[in-house]
Amino acid sequence: MAIKIFFPSACSAAENGLLIGRWMAQHKSAVVLATLHFPFIPGNVRSYLSQMERKTGLSLSVIGTWSHSKKDKDEKMDNFLGELGSIFSHQPWLRMARESSSKFWDCKVERMEGEESEDVVLVYYDQRKLMLSELHSASEYSEIAAVFDTVAKHQPLFAKDKYDEGPVNLTHWQSDGVEASIIVELCKQASVPLCAVISFFVSLITSICNLRVLSGKPLSFLWSKMSTCEQLGRRLENLRLISSSEKAQDHTTFMRKANTFLSLFLDVTLGILLMSWLYQGNHIGQLADALIPVADRIALELQELLQWLMGAPAGLKMNRALDEVLGRFFMYHIHLWISYIRLMSPFIEVILWYIGLSACLGLTVALSILSDIIALLTFHIYCFYVYGARLYCFKMHGLSSLWRLFRGKKWNVLRQRVDSCSYDLDQLFLGTLLFTILLFLLPTTALYYLVFTLLRLLVIMVQGVIQMTINLLSSLPFFALLQRLCRSYRLAAGVKFRMLEQQQGKPLRLLMQINPLPYGQVLDTYRLPSSRCYPKDSWGSLCKKLFIGEVIYPWKQKEEKQD
């Protein structure tokens, strides 16, 4: 088994000194983290490494020497570095030196237990990328996962560079600049009072919403049916998560907070842009002026549709009496709706003006209000659908029960099954009479039910598209996608190795590169939770509900409590 030496490419130009790293005996590999330069005191070096071990929880030691002499051969330096091996007695001991005829470095392994000659594989890696990346789809006990974990946990070691004054001078990966760190620290300091203010307002709003007056049964039922209240509650939970003073303990919690913050920020930004567009060119007034003619046009189309149904629709012969009753009943509801719209027409522009202000809470809140407005404007269509569905369902259940009567069967309510039953002549005669009446009235009822069901499904489809857009904006992990786009190494799916040089009798040189996480896996891993307002039915169950006349509610169903 070959010995693998993971060497940071940032230390390639370091001066002569010692190699600081970690030896992983179970994998027979060493991870070099930094190079230590002259002058140094061995006691100070040991105390510094002990201090780092207490901070990181991983073993850290001097594992070898590093020679980067500009001359082809410096015997004095080689002898001096060789003597350092007796001071720091680590097994195995690495001796890395620059080759005169190559741009790479040679590596020898000494004091290896049991085996003197081992194949050496020198793997170069980018220390900065490994420290900032999060490895996915890797076993916890694999060698690559151990290398990532070693580099990530020794971040306190990288806080000190060769220009800082202290007992030791190290060379390793350095930050891009002090100015960026200062800006980050200032943002962190400013976020503390901001989070405290947000947390206070969130608790205040939560206490107001929990009042007995607002949480009573009539209002609580109304709030549960409105998409706006649901979206506001979701955003309130997002603000509570962002303003939490608890520090993210792991990568998953941090990514959830970051994704939630960026999602909320983009949502509010898009909402403000929409609000500025609405108020900039008096689009609210134009929308209010166009709303009344649209409502009148819809009412006129519904009246023409009912008049068509009250005649001979598509050449079908309907029951004249029932057709006339149903047509006038629905026509009366349309007249009531037109009167309601006329009564509200002077206040529509003022209502829309105040609704436009809600866009500053986010684009998803504005879309939720739009969904609720569509539900209110099409409430008469919903009433038509419920009336038709209930009447059609009543007839279907009646026909089903009477059909069992002809076959000598009945439905056992206690055992929830069909049992045999004997009927007398009067019951059979009455059942035949009722079956005939319901059967001949069924086509007229089914036609009204079919027409209003199609209208209701059209409204549900429009609301479904709006709800899908809301869920998409609320659940997309924008921060994770941004990291995958700009800094793909932050989310690693694994590593790949590229061979740099292979010569007989010399270590094999490899370059370790990070494979970024695919976009699909990024969405699956970091997608934010979202609630749906529509019941999740299969096509089979949906067709069954439509056939028997069961009402399809476009509202979020209550989850059953698990015992």
Side-chain angles (χ1 to χ4, degrees):
M1 182 177 180
I3 297 177
K4 292 174 284 296
I5 310 299
F6 293 89
F7 186 78
S9 56
C11 297
S12 300
E15 301 174 358
N16 300 329
L18 301 177
L19 297 177
I20 306 297
R22 180 192 177 199
W23 171 255
M24 298 182 293
Q26 66 273 22
H27 302 295
K28 294 191 69 174
S29 60
V31 181
V32 179
L33 298 173
T35 57
L36 189 145
H37 308 299
F38 304 108
F40 59 83
I41 301 175
N44 294 339
V45 175
R46 291 192 179 93
S47 61
Y48 179 76
L49 296 181
S50 300
Q51 180 182 359
M52 287 295 108
E53 287 182 8
R54 289 192 296 269
K55 289 183 178 180
T56 60
L58 297 176
S59 61
L60 191 66
S61 57
V62 178
I63 60 176
T65 60
W66 166 258
S67 178
H68 188 197
S69 179
K70 297 181 179 179
K71 300 179 181 180
D72 294 343
K73 188 175 182 181
D74 194 342
E75 297 181 357
K76 294 182 178 181
M77 181 57 66
D78 290 343
N79 294 333
F80 177 72
L81 293 177
E83 294 175 357
L84 290 176
S86 60
I87 301 176
F88 301 96
S89 57
H90 184 272
Q91 291 183 352
W93 185 257
L94 308 180
R95 295 194 64 177
M96 299 186 65
R98 183 184 180 91
E99 297 180 352
S100 59
S101 61
S102 176
K103 60 181 179 179
F104 300 105
W105 287 261
D106 188 19
C107 182
K108 296 180 181 179
V109 180
E110 300 177 354
R111 290 186 281 186
M112 190 68 185
E113 294 181 358
E115 301 177 1
E116 293 296 336
S117 60
E118 287 269 355
D119 295 333
V120 178
V121 179
L122 189 58
V123 182
Y124 295 91
Y125 70 93
D126 193 328
Q127 199 171 52
R128 173 176 175 267
K129 291 183 178 180
L130 258 68
M131 185 187 67
L132 299 177
S133 62
E134 178 69 20
L135 184 63
H136 297 73
S137 304
S139 176
E140 184 179 357
Y141 303 102
S142 65
E143 183 179 9
I144 299 301
V147 173
F148 273 76
D149 186 66
T150 299
V151 178
K153 287 186 176 180
H154 282 89
Q155 189 172 358
L157 179 69
F158 306 139
K160 181 179 178 57
D161 58 21
K162 61 182 179 180
Y163 301 107
D164 293 338
E165 297 181 358
V168 294
N169 297 323
L170 302 176
T171 295
H172 45 69
W173 169 79
Q174 303 295 325
S175 61
D176 292 334
V178 181
E179 292 81 4
S181 301
I182 293 176
I183 294 175
V184 171
E185 290 299 327
L186 290 177
C187 292
K188 289 181 180 179
Q189 295 296 329
S191 64
V192 174
L194 182 61
C195 290
V197 174
I198 294 177
S199 179
F200 171 74
F201 279 105
V202 168
S203 60
L204 181 62
I205 295 173
T206 304
S207 59
I208 293 176
C209 294
N210 292 332
L211 292 176
R212 183 176 298 181
V213 178
L214 298 178
S215 60
K217 195 154 189 180
L219 291 179
S220 63
F221 177 79
L222 182 62
W223 304 147
S224 63
K225 305 307 178 186
M226 295 182 63
S227 178
T228 305
C229 296
E230 180 187 356
Q231 186 61 28
L232 287 176
R234 184 188 307 175
R235 286 311 185 193
L236 196 64
E237 291 295 329
N238 293 339
L239 287 175
R240 185 179 289 109
L241 175 64
I242 294 173
S243 61
S244 176
S245 59
E246 297 181 0
K247 187 177 180 180
Q249 300 296 332
D250 52 0
H251 174 76
T252 304
T253 308
F254 169 76
M255 292 297 293
R256 183 182 179 186
K257 279 191 173 184
N259 288 322
T260 304
F261 172 76
L262 193 56
S263 174
L264 186 60
F265 177 77
L266 291 177
D267 186 22
V268 173
T269 302
L270 294 176
I272 292 175
L273 292 177
L274 175 63
M275 184 180 65
S276 62
W277 178 79
L278 288 175
Y279 290 100
Q280 189 174 7
N282 195 23
H283 291 92
I284 291 183
Q286 299 175 5
L287 184 63
D289 296 336
L291 190 60
I292 299 300
V294 169
D296 292 340
R297 181 65 181 177
I298 293 176
L300 180 62
E301 293 291 340
L302 286 175
Q303 287 179 348
E304 293 179 356
L305 177 62
L306 288 175
Q307 291 175 359
W308 178 71
L309 292 175
M310 291 170 65
L316 298 176
K317 186 176 181 181
M318 314 298 293
N319 185 279
R320 178 68 61 182
L322 181 61
D323 193 10
E324 191 75 17
V325 170
L326 292 178
R328 291 188 177 184
F329 176 75
F330 292 131
M331 195 76 72
Y332 175 71
H333 279 73
I334 293 178
H335 288 303
L336 288 179
W337 181 251
I338 293 176
S339 302
Y340 171 73
I341 293 296
R342 293 297 180 184
L343 182 64
M344 294 295 296
S345 59
F347 310 100
I348 288 180
E349 185 174 357
V350 179
I351 295 174
L352 291 178
W353 194 89
Y354 283 106
I355 290 176
L357 291 177
S358 63
C360 64
L361 300 176
L363 180 62
T364 56
V365 177
L367 291 176
S368 300
I369 295 177
L370 177 62
S371 177
D372 291 335
I373 291 176
I374 291 176
L376 290 176
L377 292 178
T378 58
F379 184 70
H380 53 307
I381 296 178
Y382 173 74
C383 292
F384 295 164
Y385 164 70
V386 172
Y387 297 154
R390 292 302 185 189
L391 184 60
Y392 175 78
C393 183
F394 168 74
K395 290 188 176 182
M396 290 296 294
H397 281 289
L399 290 173
S400 177
S401 300
L402 294 173
W403 177 251
R404 286 193 294 267
L405 182 142
F406 295 150
R407 295 183 295 132
K409 305 287 184 179
K410 73 171 183 177
W411 175 255
N412 193 329
V413 181
L414 296 178
R415 297 187 178 183
Q416 295 294 312
R417 67 181 185 184
V418 178
D419 295 334
S420 300
C421 182
S422 59
Y423 298 95
D424 55 15
L425 185 62
D426 294 338
Q427 291 175 334
L428 290 175
F429 175 76
L430 183 61
T432 304
L433 182 62
L434 292 176
F435 182 83
T436 305
I437 295 174
L438 292 178
L439 183 63
F440 282 100
L441 293 180
L442 181 63
T444 304
T445 308
L447 182 61
Y448 276 88
Y449 168 70
L450 176 63
V451 171
F452 291 125
T453 299
L454 293 178
L455 292 177
R456 182 58 187 165
L457 289 178
L458 180 61
V459 176
I460 290 179
M461 287 178 60
V462 174
Q463 290 183 298
V465 171
I466 296 176
Q467 189 63 37
M468 287 176 60
T469 306
I470 294 173
N471 289 336
L472 186 65
L473 293 175
S474 302
S475 62
L476 274 181
F478 291 103
F479 183 76
L481 292 174
L482 188 63
Q483 278 194 335
R484 175 61 180 85
L485 180 63
C486 300
R487 295 184 176 182
S488 58
Y489 59 87
R490 297 295 295 265
L491 305 176
V495 296
K496 60 183 178 181
F497 296 94
R498 183 167 64 91
M499 189 173 63
L500 298 177
E501 187 182 40
Q502 184 180 14
Q503 295 183 8
Q504 187 68 25
K506 293 184 178 181
L508 175 63
R509 281 90 170 190
L510 300 177
L511 177 63
M512 186 172 68
Q513 297 175 335
I514 295 178
N515 282 330
L517 201 66
Y519 283 100
Q521 195 170 350
V522 172
L523 292 175
D524 294 338
T525 305
Y526 298 104
R527 182 182 293 274
L528 297 173
S530 61
S531 58
R532 291 187 298 199
C533 291
Y534 294 87
K536 185 179 180 181
D537 289 328
S538 62
W539 288 104
S541 61
L542 180 62
C543 293
K544 181 180 178 181
K545 288 182 178 180
L546 292 176
F547 178 75
I548 64 177
E550 185 176 347
V551 179
I552 301 174
Y553 293 99
W555 298 322
K556 183 180 179 182
Q557 304 298 323
K558 294 183 179 180
E559 298 180 356
E560 297 181 358
K561 296 182 180 180
Q562 298 180 355
D563 296 335

